[in-house]
Amino acid sequence: MTPRQARGPLRVAMIGYGFMGAAHSVGWRQAPHVFDLPEDVEMAVLVGRNADAVAQAAAHWGWAESATDWREVIARDDIDIVDIVTPGDSHAEIAIAALDAGKHVLCEKPLANSVEEAEAMAAAAERAARGGAKAMVGFTYRRVPAVTFLRDLIAEGVVGRVQQVRAAYRQDWLVDPEMPLAWRLQKEHAGSGALGDIGAHIIDMTQFVTGETVDAVSGTLETIVKQRPLLGSGSGLTGTAAEGYGDVTVDDAALFTGRLSGGALVSFEATRFATGRKNALTIEVSGDKGALAFDLEDLNSLRFYDRTAPADRQGFTKILVTEAQHPYVAAWWPPGHMLGYEHGFTHQVVDLVAAIHDGTDPHPSFDEGLSVQRVLSAVEASAAKDSSWVRVGADVLEVGR
């Protein structure tokens, strides 16, 4: 694949405008002003179903125009990139249509609501790649500089052979039983609950930083509050509760164990019922030479334990990941000046635009998104079979029959 021949700016259409729409808009807006991008970028169109609401969001976030029909927008010749931030039940239809139209696609995680949908999306990405279209999944935490640096250190061998991983993503926004029944709590829209929404992140992060795959799982799923007040209006976490209650059809908490391709054991926890934890993503990788730990609530640093150091100097030490030598950091502030949650979305734009310009494959690819989807499906299959071990892949379908 030859590098892209410049023919004007890359024009972006974003479909969806909720919480992730705001975050992605920050990324598209910031990246050209902070990084020296190889291509110009324009925030061309924001798409949503409610004409008034999407027009207001477009004006607020800096999109040039708004629209209500994503099919018409994808068909436009002046759109180069389609950014999908809708609920999971529409990912496959939109992404496949955009890729078949020759557009580059950025799709929020998890890639889809089922393995079958994810396989169809990965196949569409493979077809589109022959014509130069790129496809990437929005596992944005990969692009927190400390997480990328953690990956690099493991690849350098500083922890030696990986022997065990502990990964958790804990939130508490569902502890209140009167929290309304939003789309994230309905399987037909979200696919799964805490497992797919935040568990997908720790699965991807584990595979990303170790360079290994999760090959088998044993899991348990729990729906702690089984009915919630119906929303009178809207589809998010706000709105007036209508009379009556509806069933929660996804999990509130997921606990599962995994086995990596290199043999190491992994413990995973994804929950929306960790009282007092707002957005606590942690990962710790233990090896025979040392260990590395990351905590999103202290996202500008890593903890490193060097087992090869003299015994009287051993102990976890803090590495402040704010130096120009660290991933992505040189474009930002002087050493010691912190980055935040939103910067990962800027780095995501940087990497996608660079891949489009260079003609290289962006990561995480749709194939990588599919690999996470297969792990999610294996966990669900295991939970349905009294937490029996399930191999990720073909066995998932057999167990699920």
Side-chain angles (χ1 to χ4, degrees), residues 29-232:
R29 192 167 60 246
Q30 278 192 339
H33 299 290
V34 177
F35 289 80
D36 186 15
L37 296 184
E39 302 276 352
D40 291 331
V41 171
E42 286 186 7
M43 297 168 63
V45 190
L46 183 65
V47 185
R49 289 177 295 185
N50 184 308
D52 291 338
V54 72
Q56 291 176 10
H60 186 65
W61 294 339
W63 294 88
E65 61 177 289
S66 63
T68 57
D69 189 330
W70 62 263
R71 293 174 181 84
E72 289 183 359
V73 171
I74 285 175
R76 286 170 47 168
D77 291 336
D78 65 336
I79 298 300
D80 302 290
I81 301 173
V82 174
D83 186 357
I84 303 168
V85 296
T86 59
D89 59 333
S90 59
H91 284 187
E93 182 182 14
I94 298 171
I96 292 170
L99 288 166
D100 286 347
K103 312 299 185 184
H104 308 292
V105 172
L106 171 61
C107 183
E108 254 305 317
K109 62 86 230 152
L111 185 60
N113 277 6
S114 69
V115 170
E116 292 77 14
E117 287 179 347
E119 287 174 338
M121 294 170 74
E126 184 178 358
R127 291 194 305 270
R130 300 181 196 125
K134 306 300 179 183
M136 189 168 80
V137 189
F139 283 112
T140 322
Y141 290 130
R142 286 187 177 205
R143 293 179 166 85
V144 173
V147 174
T148 308
F149 188 49
L150 189 158
R151 186 275 312 267
D152 294 344
L153 290 174
I154 291 175
E156 289 175 18
V158 298
V159 303
R161 181 171 61 87
V162 174
Q163 296 175 317
Q164 190 176 357
V165 181
R166 290 163 293 280
Y169 203 155
R170 294 169 290 172
Q171 300 174 337
D172 73 350
W173 60 274
L174 287 182
V175 171
D176 180 359
E178 294 304 305
M179 176 67 73
L181 187 69
W183 70 263
R184 292 183 186 275
L185 307 182
Q186 298 171 304
K187 189 173 182 64
E188 65 269 26
H189 298 303
S192 64
L195 175 64
D197 185 22
I198 54 180
H201 273 302
I202 53 178
I203 294 167
D204 179 72
M205 186 176 291
T206 296
Q207 296 189 145
F208 173 64
V209 302
T210 64
E212 301 181 19
T213 56
V214 178
D215 285 357
V217 293
S218 169
T220 299
L221 303 176
E222 181 67 25
T223 303
I224 297 170
V225 174
K226 295 178 172 54
Q227 288 192 323
R228 290 185 176 274
L230 297 172
L231 277 174

Side-chain angles (χ1 to χ4, degrees), residues 135-374:
M136 189 168 80
V137 189
F139 283 112
T140 322
Y141 290 130
R142 286 187 177 205
R143 293 179 166 85
V144 173
V147 174
T148 308
F149 188 49
L150 189 158
R151 186 275 312 267
D152 294 344
L153 290 174
I154 291 175
E156 289 175 18
V158 298
V159 303
R161 181 171 61 87
V162 174
Q163 296 175 317
Q164 190 176 357
V165 181
R166 290 163 293 280
Y169 203 155
R170 294 169 290 172
Q171 300 174 337
D172 73 350
W173 60 274
L174 287 182
V175 171
D176 180 359
E178 294 304 305
M179 176 67 73
L181 187 69
W183 70 263
R184 292 183 186 275
L185 307 182
Q186 298 171 304
K187 189 173 182 64
E188 65 269 26
H189 298 303
S192 64
L195 175 64
D197 185 22
I198 54 180
H201 273 302
I202 53 178
I203 294 167
D204 179 72
M205 186 176 291
T206 296
Q207 296 189 145
F208 173 64
V209 302
T210 64
E212 301 181 19
T213 56
V214 178
D215 285 357
V217 293
S218 169
T220 299
L221 303 176
E222 181 67 25
T223 303
I224 297 170
V225 174
K226 295 178 172 54
Q227 288 192 323
R228 290 185 176 274
L230 297 172
L231 277 174
S233 62
S235 58
L237 299 180
T238 60
T240 304
E243 249 185 74
Y245 285 73
D247 292 334
V248 176
T249 52
V250 298
D251 58 281
D252 290 329
L255 300 174
F256 53 107
T257 305
R259 182 76 68 179
L260 291 181
S261 52
L265 199 64
V266 189
S267 63
F268 294 99
E269 177 185 9
T271 177
R272 294 160 169 169
F273 273 78
T275 305
R277 299 293 184 183
K278 303 306 176 184
N279 201 39
L281 186 159
T282 60
I283 188 167
E284 185 170 319
V285 181
S286 301
D288 59 350
K289 293 182 181 178
L292 284 162
F294 170 75
D295 183 345
L296 184 64
E297 294 181 346
D298 187 16
L299 83 170
N300 289 277
S301 70
L302 291 176
R303 298 283 177 174
F304 173 50
Y305 181 88
D306 183 3
R307 187 171 168 271
T308 67
D312 61 349
R313 299 170 211 174
Q314 288 185 1
F316 275 93
T317 59
K318 183 174 182 176
I319 301 172
L320 194 60
V321 187
T322 62
E323 297 293 325
Q325 293 83 358
H326 289 134
Y328 304 106
V329 176
W332 295 101
W333 321 121
H337 291 71
M338 307 304 184
L339 300 186
Y341 170 77
E342 74 278 9
H343 292 87
F345 295 92
T346 301
H347 303 156
Q348 177 173 260
V349 169
V350 171
D351 290 345
L352 178 58
V353 171
I356 291 170
H357 175 79
D358 296 338
T360 57
D361 295 328
H363 294 280
S365 65
F366 274 22
D367 280 339
E368 290 169 278
L370 171 58
S371 76
V372 172
Q373 203 76 45
R374 286 175 171 151

